[in-house]
Amino acid sequence: MTPRCSWMWRRARCMLLGRSRSAATGRCLGAERTLTSTSHPPKICIVGSGPAGFYTAQHLLKHTQAVVDIYEKLPVPFGLVRFGVAPDHPEVKNVINTFTQTAHSERCCFIGNVTVGRDVTVEELRKAYDAIVLSYGAEDKRELEIPGEELPGVYSARDFVGWYNGLPDNRHLSPDLGSETAVILGQGNVALDIARILLSPLELLKKTDITQSALEAISHSRVKRVWLIGRRGPLQVAFTIKELREMIHLPGTRPINDPSDFYGLGDIVKDLPRPRKRLTELLVKSALEKPKERDCSHLAQSDREWGLRFFRKPVAVLLSEDGKRAAGVRLSVTRLEGVGDTAVAVPTGQVEEIRCGLILSSIGYKSVPISPVVPFRPNKGVIPNSMGRVQGTPGLYCSGWVKRGPTGVITTTMADSFDTAQALLEDIKSGALPLSEPRPGSSAIRELLLLRGIQTVSFSDWEKIDAVEVARGAEVGKPREKISDSEEMMRLICR
């Protein structure tokens, strides 16, 4: 059988047998022919199969007779739900069940292992579809732009999270966990996720879908202390109360925050918005209140610790004595000008240093341009748009992080994606998105990909991978053992 896994054979077999769902496309071929011959439903392409892509598809399929194709560069779907959500947060991943229902719709088709911009261009997609929604997320990391950030021992949060979550691009990261102190530059949810994974008891991690290679590395980790550095103060932290509460109650670990950072905040709390108020109250309580008697013994027995360091901005990574790797970070002491979320950190002229062997930069993700024909604002890392309509480009839309920037949680992305889908539906209804003639959709794109030697992956193919992962996980008491090698994934669906 050819390396393309006999896609054409599968298609021909499906058509001969009159199957309602094609193994090659994952979509109802007969229904598509009937619809297009009678009512010309719009054919819509979504680029990216993360939460933004699937929520956009879900809304479109619910409110129109559209045929929706979801393209994904990896052989597996779900984006940050699979590769970004912490292994010990399985409840957040339950949204995959909803996405799976969407993918099983007769009018929806998942087409994996296709990189838009390389394997097929945006221009080619525009010729094949009535509309395109760009939902490919934030695929890159923000740079620290300080001396020494390229040294061994310095990692981006994006790469580190990808490593323990099985992202193929990061499977060979092999971070050095041989020092007792780790520094995380950033105070958002991702920073707390990383701190929690570094400090969690192995007994807890063994029950999650963390990759086996990461679990093995963490089992030999010497990290006992994690500092989370922020350039501003307690009122500007970017994490949520759920993640903070998890860190405070993490078994075998104690917080070591400086009480002086929280003096006077009690008088300010009452005027804060409710989410910020509850978060700040918990910060103040954990830093200033004496622990109860039953908690004292727990804290005394804890052999790991973590803390928030405020009003500090990294200015350089320190070099080890042998000149081969990172040995610490130099911080500029800051003060705030302004109040609340708009407060700006300015240097005071003072500096201090923290010695450590592991530095993780968690200062945010960023999107990258996908095509010269798609407008892009590199300073903000977003596609300029109005309610998801790409400016100056009729028929082109965007949703998720590439639309609004890398902020918010999955529910934020859901609302944002529904807005984009609704804007597209309104354009169809008003005639702003003309449907003058039927478009070929995926049939034309598949022919191009076949000619270019690109083997596509259907949702049924993904379900083969999924079954293997779940089976491997069951053997060791985990929900799944992720396959992080794309080539192994492709071999599984071809056998």
Side-chain angles (χ1 to χ4, degrees), residues 372-405:
V373 304
V374 180
F376 190 78
R377 291 178 179 165
N379 57 328
K380 293 186 177 181
V382 298
I383 295 173
N385 70 91
S386 176
M387 292 297 294
R389 300 176 178 94
V390 177
Q391 291 181 4
T393 318
L396 200 59
Y397 302 80
C398 58
S399 66
W401 282 3
V402 76
K403 171 186 173 183
R404 72 178 190 275

Side-chain angles (χ1 to χ4, degrees), residues 107-309:
R107 292 183 288 114
C108 184
C109 180
F110 171 80
I111 306 172
N113 199 43
V114 178
T115 301
V116 174
R118 185 192 67 190
D119 300 332
V120 62
T121 67
V122 173
E123 296 95 317
E124 290 166 336
L125 291 175
R126 295 194 71 188
K127 293 177 182 177
Y129 291 91
D130 295 295
I132 298 174
V133 184
L134 300 172
S135 305
Y136 60 88
E139 300 180 345
D140 204 358
K141 53 188 177 290
R142 296 190 180 277
E143 303 292 341
L144 288 168
E145 298 181 353
I146 61 175
E149 68 175 306
E150 75 289 345
L151 288 170
V154 183
Y155 309 91
S156 74
R158 182 189 183 281
D159 292 348
F160 195 79
V161 170
W163 167 68
Y164 63 63
N165 270 335
L167 184 63
D169 286 349
N170 303 127
R171 57 190 293 258
H172 297 303
L173 190 68
S174 188
D176 186 349
L177 307 180
S179 60
E180 290 194 359
T181 300
V183 165
I184 302 174
L185 304 173
Q187 293 181 338
N189 280 343
V190 174
L192 282 189
D193 282 347
I194 292 173
R196 196 175 62 254
I197 295 300
L198 284 171
L199 298 175
S200 286
L202 280 178
E203 292 71 24
L204 295 181
L205 293 180
K206 286 178 179 178
K207 301 175 183 178
T208 73
D209 66 357
I210 190 171
T211 62
Q212 191 60 37
S213 58
L215 187 63
E216 178 68 17
I218 292 173
S219 70
H220 295 96
S221 170
R222 295 183 60 199
V223 176
K224 300 292 185 183
R225 181 184 305 105
V226 178
W227 291 110
L228 297 99
I229 311 297
R231 69 186 189 284
R232 299 191 293 175
L235 295 178
Q236 290 81 33
V237 294
F239 50 73
T240 55
I241 193 169
K242 176 181 182 291
E243 279 70 22
L244 175 62
R245 190 179 290 117
E246 286 177 326
M247 282 301 301
I248 291 173
H249 298 294
L250 188 64
T253 307
R254 62 177 179 270
I256 48 172
N257 294 316
D258 185 348
S260 65
D261 287 330
F262 301 90
Y263 292 152
L265 290 185
D267 299 331
I268 301 174
V269 166
K270 63 180 183 296
D271 297 323
L272 296 174
R274 189 171 184 272
R276 177 66 67 177
K277 177 181 178 182
R278 293 177 60 233
L279 174 62
T280 306
E281 285 174 341
L282 182 57
L283 277 170
V284 172
K285 179 179 179 180
S286 65
L288 299 183
E289 288 190 6
K290 292 183 178 180
K292 297 178 181 179
E293 184 176 346
R294 69 173 181 270
D295 296 327
C296 288
S297 59
H298 158 73
L299 295 174
Q301 295 172 8
S302 299
D303 61 349
R304 297 179 299 278
E305 56 191 17
W306 67 277
L308 300 163
R309 298 292 296 273

